[in-house]
Amino acid sequence: MKLISWNVNGIRAAQRKGFLDWLGAESPDVLTVQETKAHPEQLAARLRQPEGYQSWWASAERKGYSGVGLFSKSQPRAVQVGLGIEKFDSEGRTLSADFGDFTLISTYLPNGKASAERLRYKMEYKEAFLDYAKDLRAAGKSVVFCGDINTAHNEIDLTHPKPNAKHSGFLREERDWIDNVLAQGYIDIYRHRNPDKEGAYTWWSLRSGARAKNVGWRIDYFFISSDLLERVVAAEIHPDVMGSDHCPISLTLDF
């Protein structure tokens, strides 16, 4: 079962850059997308529900902002839009789907760079999100969660760690949250399989030719509950796929 997560930085813009051709060629079982910047009714039918897929959407109240989507070849047992907390769900940041063998959660964490208030909001969302995942684990569910976490975990995960140590995205309190995720039994599966790999990034600034120089950050993740580790076939980053300032990441599981 192949899962892909991709921050598309505007799904309509991604469509103009070949998103549907890429999806048809890649043909994942499940694709989650973040930062869709659209409501489903704003999308052409073939983008809203591509051939061979069913789709679900969590959209922000504010037009052209945030939003996540999920495309699946198979029908999940259940899909939940949001966390059930209005101040987070109004920004369209969470979708979860129960596939029986595991529950998949797609998330787009807030960016905390704009202000101290937005950083607080980001940290509050992180805690609420992790509480939601805890409840699923307590109910006996295996959990995979993925998406744009908007945080690089360790120095290996960005090109310039020292200059960014006091900037949101690499603050100690943000990184501590990922430490807490791991302490609760989740595995950052890409880093688990590639512990020493440098230059493995998922986001590059659109300025100064950063992507061509591979000056980037790894801020997109697949985390799995530890009981799924033996099911992992592959966990990859796909930096050659264009169409966004992020690249897709993938996880293949064997059931």
Side-chain angles (χ1 to χ4, degrees):
M1 187 173 188
K2 186 170 187 177
L3 316 175
I4 293 182
S5 176
W6 191 8
N7 178 320
V8 292
N9 193 12
I11 196 164
R12 288 170 289 184
Q15 181 187 17
R16 294 191 293 271
K17 299 172 185 176
F19 172 80
L20 288 174
D21 291 337
W22 167 83
L23 178 61
E26 194 65 40
S27 192
D29 296 287
V30 181
L31 168 66
T32 70
V33 289
Q34 299 88 39
E35 204 171 358
T36 57
K37 297 182 179 179
H39 289 226
E41 62 269 19
Q42 295 176 294
L43 306 178
R46 66 193 187 100
L47 180 59
R48 184 170 62 249
Q49 190 161 323
E51 185 177 356
Y53 289 91
Q54 301 173 69
S55 65
W56 295 264
W57 305 86
S59 301
E61 290 178 358
R62 174 179 160 191
K63 293 290 180 68
Y65 178 72
S66 189
V68 293
L70 186 147
F71 304 90
S72 178
K73 288 182 176 179
S74 61
Q75 174 71 43
R77 292 182 178 181
V79 174
Q80 178 171 324
V81 177
L83 296 174
I85 302 172
E86 173 60 25
K87 72 174 182 177
F88 301 129
D89 296 347
S90 64
E91 292 197 1
R93 295 192 175 275
T94 322
L95 268 175
S96 59
D98 181 352
F99 287 99
D101 291 311
F102 66 97
T103 296
L104 174 66
I105 315 171
S106 172
T107 181
Y108 175 41
L109 265 70
N111 189 316
K113 291 181 179 179
S115 65
E117 180 182 359
R118 287 304 291 178
L119 179 60
R120 284 194 299 272
Y121 181 88
K122 178 180 185 177
M123 298 307 298
E124 289 170 1
Y125 174 87
K126 281 184 165 186
E127 293 309 312
F129 177 89
L130 198 51
D131 285 344
Y132 175 71
K134 282 182 192 175
D135 290 343
L136 290 172
R137 294 293 289 141
K141 301 287 187 180
S142 299
V143 171
V144 175
F145 71 86
C146 63
D148 179 358
I149 305 300
N150 255 318
T151 303
H153 187 202
N154 291 314
E155 291 192 356
I156 196 174
D157 296 311
L158 71 166
T159 306
H160 298 303
K162 295 292 192 295
N164 285 290
K166 295 184 178 180
H167 296 280
S168 181
F170 199 55
L171 295 173
R172 185 69 261 174
E173 63 192 283
E174 296 170 301
R175 298 164 62 196
D176 286 346
W177 181 82
I178 298 182
D179 289 340
N180 187 27
V181 168
L182 302 183
Q184 293 190 24
Y186 292 94
I187 297 168
D188 170 2
I189 191 58
Y190 181 84
R191 186 55 71 199
H192 178 84
R193 293 171 70 91
N194 302 276
D196 302 314
K197 186 173 179 61
E198 299 180 352
Y201 306 132
T202 65
W203 175 81
W204 303 263
S205 171
L206 293 173
R207 302 173 184 172
S208 305
R211 190 162 188 168
K213 301 172 188 173
N214 199 30
V215 176
W217 299 52
R218 188 174 73 95
I219 58 175
D220 301 85
Y221 298 80
F222 271 103
F223 290 98
I224 64 170
S225 53
S226 56
D227 58 315
L228 292 173
L229 182 58
E230 64 181 17
R231 302 287 188 181
V232 176
V233 175
E236 298 173 285
I237 292 172
H238 303 274
D240 294 335
V241 177
M242 301 297 173
S244 171
D245 53 349
H246 295 248
C247 74
I249 59 174
S250 64
L251 172 65
T252 305
L253 301 169
D254 181 6
F255 289 107

